Amino acid sequence: MSKKKGLSLEEKRTRMMEIFFESKDVFQLKDIEKIAPKSKGIAPMTVKEVLQSLVDDNMVDCERVGTSNYYWAFPSKALHARKHKLEELQKQVSDAKQRKVSLEEAAEKAKVGREDTKERSCLLKELQSLRDEQKQLQAELEKYRECDPEVIQEITIMLESLENKPRIGQRWIRQVRPQRKLEGK
């Protein structure tokens, strides 16, 4: 005995679209819920979910008339949607090609004056050595940062403020104690 394998969501969507394309008719949800399991083998519990996904993707049209929702999809709409998508993709390709050409031209313009010559390679080596030297000097400067007058001044200001904090705290305590006595605590 072999177990029946369920359909994937994409297979269900395809089969649901076949219902619309073959009949070329307008349906209510209850009609589709009856037709889909019998003719296309879509599980009855998933019909509404599959139909809603098709509506969300604009593959099936839905319109509310009175209290009922009507669903339809015609092959011409699918063809029109595919043509529109194809045109959009072709436009993106042409834009990408134009951008590629302009970037290649910009790269060629940037190469002018950057030919690999002895003088340029010497200058690049010198630039690199100057950058290395700058890093070393920056590291050495960082070592002596604690002797910097500005840093020393900031530290002294911070220390002075820390020395004043106990006095400030004692002042607060002196103000709070009389208030506690008044409250009766």
Side-chain angles (χ1 to χ4, degrees):
M1 287 177 33
S2 66
K3 294 183 180 179
K4 286 186 176 180
K5 182 184 172 198
L7 300 172
S8 71
L9 179 64
E10 200 54 44
E11 290 172 331
K12 291 175 187 175
R13 289 169 51 104
T14 304
R15 290 183 180 192
M16 182 78 71
M17 290 304 294
E18 289 174 2
I19 293 172
F20 287 107
F21 292 161
E22 290 170 359
S23 67
K24 296 179 186 170
D25 201 1
V26 177
F27 298 98
Q28 287 186 339
L29 179 60
K30 63 181 180 179
D31 299 332
I32 296 172
E33 287 176 335
K34 289 178 186 174
I35 296 170
K38 292 179 184 174
S39 66
K40 298 298 178 180
I42 300 172
M45 300 300 287
T46 62
V47 170
K48 187 173 183 178
E49 177 186 329
V50 172
L51 184 60
Q52 188 59 46
S53 74
L54 290 171
V55 170
D56 292 342
D57 292 341
N58 292 325
M59 295 175 73
V60 173
D61 291 314
C62 174
E63 191 69 38
R64 184 173 194 88
V65 178
T67 59
S68 303
N69 285 332
Y70 291 94
Y71 300 91
W72 70 92
F74 299 118
S76 62
K77 182 182 181 199
L79 179 66
H80 178 69
R82 286 188 195 114
K83 283 183 180 178
H84 180 69
K85 183 71 173 175
L86 179 64
E87 289 171 359
E88 186 178 308
L89 291 173
Q90 286 174 340
K91 184 177 183 282
Q92 288 177 359
V93 167
S94 67
D95 291 346
K97 285 181 181 178
Q98 287 176 343
R99 187 164 183 258
K100 179 186 171 194
V101 168
S102 67
L103 288 174
E104 287 174 348
E105 290 173 358
E108 288 298 319
K109 287 179 183 177
K111 285 182 181 178
V112 173
R114 292 187 180 186
E115 289 82 21
D116 204 17
T117 62
K118 278 188 173 183
E119 181 184 354
R120 185 170 192 275
S121 62
C122 289
L123 289 173
L124 286 174
K125 286 179 185 176
E126 184 180 343
L127 176 65
Q128 187 60 39
S129 67
L130 289 172
R131 285 183 179 163
D132 292 340
E133 185 180 347
Q134 180 188 15
K135 286 181 185 177
Q136 289 173 347
L137 292 173
Q138 196 70 28
E140 191 173 334
L141 183 63
E142 199 62 36
K143 280 189 222 176
Y144 300 117
R145 179 170 164 75
E146 62 190 35
C147 297
D148 185 9
E150 292 175 3
V151 174
I152 292 172
Q153 185 178 4
E154 289 176 17
I155 291 172
T156 55
I157 290 172
M158 194 181 332
L159 288 174
E160 288 173 1
S161 70
L162 288 174
E163 289 173 358
N164 291 334
K165 293 210 185 227
R167 284 187 233 133
I168 294 170
Q170 289 171 357
R171 192 176 337 138
W172 275 89
I173 290 171
R174 277 188 247 125
Q175 291 175 358
V176 169
R177 280 187 182 154
Q179 289 179 355
R180 287 189 149 190
K181 287 181 182 176
L182 291 174
E183 292 173 357
K185 291 185 179 178

